[in-house]
Amino acid sequence: MKKSKTSFFCQHCGYMSPKWLGKCPSCNGWNCFAEELVADTNSGSRAEMKFDGKPIPIEEIPAEEGARTATGIAEIDRVLGGGIVGGSAILIGGEPGIGKSTLLLQMMQNLAAKGLKVLYVSGEESASQIKLRSRRVGASAKDLLVLVEVSLEKILEHIKAVNPAFVVIDSIQTVYSADLMSAPGSVGQVREASSRLILFSKKHGIPVFLIGHVTKDGSIAGPKVLEHMVDTVLYFEGDSGHAYRIIRGMKNRFGPTNEIGVFEMQEKGLKEVPNPSAFFLAERPQNVAGSVVVPSLEGTRPILVEIQALVSPTNLGMPRRTAIGVDHNRVSLLVAVLDKICGLHLSGSDIFINVAGGIRVEEPAVDLGIVAAIASSFLDRPIDARTVVLGEVGLTGEVRAISQMDVRIKEAARLGFNRCIVPKSNISLPGSVPKMEVNAIHSLKELLENLF
Ligand code: TYD
Ligand code: MG
């Protein structure tokens, strides 16, 4: 009898090794290798999936941009870059319970209501559980077909028979191929199932949505490999303590990345939040020290966020620096600059930074906001409630230019702010926005003079 071949796979990143290893050389994870049977690549199951392509001059390839289908949910369409591209594979990651199944069901209902046939394959819930959810979100289109199945071969057969316009696999970790002996959810299975589904979708031009669970360290469970295989990766973020949910494009072969869509989880499913700035500023305290508003840019969209700081005397030898929603190292750097350049003696204080609402802001344009909030709390002097600050801060205390000033300032003006503190070096100083006072500054020293 032919001996079946096995290999060891890292369950985090998919790295393959012929022997067991304690530490993964690729992702440096410990104790994450599991033995899996490797499929015989010569077997017939893969042959049918091959493209029968031949080389053609690039000139003669028809450009089919425009074959996009809008989902009808504006927040999603923007993240996708205008709609779903034919034959694309879209991975949607997120923690359990965040609302992935709900979102996909609502999207598919929208598409099915337009008369497009949709196949929703679930390996996680029974048909009646899906029915219960569909009642809540009002999904009842007759072209929305539900299939409860985990076998990859059967799923592919059903897709062929139904010939839908869109396929959803909820979730990719439950799909399992009889060709492989390893357990469902293992890297080998997930990779095999995704690659065959993706090949199928490319060959037949059917867009496929793969739902993927995210582990607690934030990566899509097991396979980082999945992210390389698909065209688009969307992450569904949010906080169980908050009702809002953010869908963020991490990779997109057909559109922008870093675009976000904002939703609120309600009794009847996810609802779009068309005006996120107002949403994130809703509970802002007035005239208290340690709070400032920053017009941050998420993709192409300006969103006003409130940055809060609390500076309090420490009881510890080593003061605490805690940052939620902004980069921790960035905060340490800014605290050092404030200490050295502006003479605020922060070394005896614990410093806590929080972005209200639980949203994450990554860009350096919020530096000035972090500095302003810390200074305000340390000096115990409130910042004017209708002032926004923005700018990047350098190590010598200089305030550096940022991009797309205009859209940010317009958004601030729209929400009733009437003064902005911005970098002097910015080429496009906001001049055209009515009723907005502009204070352009060079350095952190000037910031403190302007603020208080
Ligand atoms: P779900 O889509 O099942 O999450 P996932 O597929 O990402 O695991 O969402 C489950 C959560 O959403 C659950 O805690 C209940 C809540 N929910 C609502 O608040 N309103 C609704 O209308 C629905 C359908 C779910
Ligand atoms: Mg689910």
Side-chain angles (χ1 to χ4, degrees):
M1 202 181 101
K2 203 171 115 202
K3 193 168 172 288
S4 50
K5 193 167 167 277
T6 65
S7 279
F8 291 84
F9 287 92
C10 168
Q11 299 296 306
H12 293 166
C13 69
Y15 183 87
M16 187 181 90
S17 158
K19 284 187 301 187
W20 187 85
L21 299 174
K23 185 185 178 193
C24 174
S26 170
C27 69
N28 294 327
W30 288 95
N31 200 15
C32 48
F33 276 82
E35 186 173 18
E36 290 177 19
L37 219 66
V38 181
D40 185 359
T41 38
N42 296 328
S43 75
S45 67
R46 274 170 180 253
E48 59 168 302
M49 303 303 301
K50 292 230 173 78
F51 294 90
D52 31 277
K54 37 184 178 313
I56 34 172
I58 195 162
E59 265 287 288
E60 290 170 22
I61 304 173
E64 279 171 9
E65 175 64 47
R68 282 183 190 262
T69 317
T71 61
I73 301 177
E75 296 289 305
I76 288 285
D77 286 339
R78 173 156 23 77
V79 176
L80 287 172
I84 307 162
V85 175
S88 63
I90 300 156
L91 175 66
I92 300 198
E95 285 172 22
I98 198 90
K100 301 179 295 295
S101 308
T102 309
L103 178 72
L104 265 295
L105 195 65
Q106 285 180 258
M107 267 166 78
M108 292 308 127
Q109 156 66 20
N110 268 10
L111 292 166
K114 290 187 201 167
L116 296 159
K117 205 185 259 180
V118 173
L119 184 61
Y120 187 102
V121 184
S122 178
E124 302 220 323
E125 291 162 304
S126 67
S128 55
Q129 279 174 312
I130 298 170
K131 175 74 194 172
L132 282 179
R133 171 171 310 119
S134 75
R135 278 238 186 91
R136 284 179 84 170
V137 304
S140 58
K142 69 173 190 332
D143 285 314
L144 177 55
L145 308 182
V146 174
L147 168 68
V148 177
E149 182 59 81
V150 292
S151 150
L152 176 63
E153 287 72 23
K154 288 204 182 121
I155 292 173
L156 287 170
E157 260 171 45
H158 281 293
I159 300 176
K160 263 184 216 159
V162 172
N163 191 24
F166 299 94
V167 177
V168 176
I169 308 290
D170 185 4
S171 67
I172 190 66
Q173 274 96 0
T174 57
V175 180
Y176 127 110
S177 162
D179 286 357
L180 297 184
M181 294 299 285
S182 45
S186 65
V187 170
Q189 285 286 7
V190 172
R191 182 167 34 195
E192 173 77 4
S194 337
S195 74
R196 281 174 63 186
L197 283 162
I198 292 167
L199 272 171
F200 185 91
S201 95
K202 293 256 177 285
K203 194 171 172 190
H204 298 269
I206 304 171
V208 54
F209 289 86
L210 306 175
I211 294 182
H213 288 300
V214 162
T215 53
K216 42 179 189 319
D217 63 355
S219 58
I220 289 190
K224 262 270 177 231
V225 275
L226 254 183
E227 296 185 7
H228 303 300
M229 286 156 57
V230 297
D231 301 307
T232 304
V233 179
L234 307 180
Y235 269 93
F236 213 10
E237 310 171 346
D239 191 47
S240 49
H242 292 101
Y244 81 89
R245 301 281 182 269
I246 290 178
I247 190 142
R248 193 185 289 272
M250 305 293 280
K251 160 182 173 180
N252 198 346
R253 287 186 183 146
F254 309 115
T257 48
N258 281 328
E259 242 354 304
I260 66 167
V262 185
F263 293 89
E264 193 181 354
M265 182 61 98
Q266 294 186 345
E267 204 34 54
K268 291 194 162 135
L270 288 155
K271 199 148 181 297
E272 295 173 71
V273 177
N275 189 356
S277 296
F279 188 74
F280 287 118
L281 295 184
E283 288 158 291
R284 188 163 64 106
Q286 300 278 330
N287 289 324
V288 285
S291 155
V292 69
V293 174
V294 177
S296 155
L297 208 64
E298 297 288 340
T300 56
R301 181 150 67 153
I303 294 184
L304 299 194
V305 293
E306 181 199 350
I307 295 186
Q308 299 184 328
L310 179 67
V311 180
S312 67
T314 184
N315 299 320
L316 306 168
M318 177 112 142
R320 291 216 279 168
R321 306 278 184 256
T322 307
I324 302 170
V326 286
D327 182 23
H328 183 262
N329 292 326
R330 200 88 207 152
V331 171
S332 302
L333 184 153
L334 294 170
V335 168
V337 174
L338 259 175
D339 200 318
K340 170 113 186 173
I341 309 287
C342 300
L344 302 189
H345 298 295
L346 295 162
S347 51
S349 306
D350 289 331
I351 299 178
F352 306 93
I353 303 283
N354 180 34
V355 181
I359 187 173
R360 263 201 85 75
V361 281
E362 310 260 331
E363 52 160 5
V366 302
D367 285 359
L368 209 57
I370 298 173
V371 168
I374 295 174
S376 163
S377 176
F378 180 73
L379 300 170
D380 205 13
R381 297 176 67 172
I383 296 169
D384 172 43
R386 300 219 287 169
T387 297
V388 294
V389 298
L390 70 164
E392 184 179 343
V393 174
L395 285 183
T396 63
E398 81 276 19
V399 177
R400 293 166 162 261
I402 52 157
S403 63
Q404 309 208 42
M405 179 72 84
D406 265 9
V407 281
R408 299 172 193 254
I409 297 302
K410 278 193 187 124
E411 174 78 356
R414 198 174 67 78
L415 278 129
F417 290 83
N418 60 11
R419 183 164 79 120
C420 59
I421 301 180
V422 298
K424 199 170 236 160
S425 46
N426 241 84
I427 312 160
S428 63
L429 274 180
S432 54
V433 185
K435 293 206 203 103
M436 180 64 89
E437 180 192 338
V438 179
N439 298 155
I441 58 166
H442 260 313
S443 67
L444 283 194
K445 285 216 175 85
E446 289 174 57
L447 171 73
L448 298 188
E449 285 160 21
N450 272 288
L451 276 180
F452 310 114

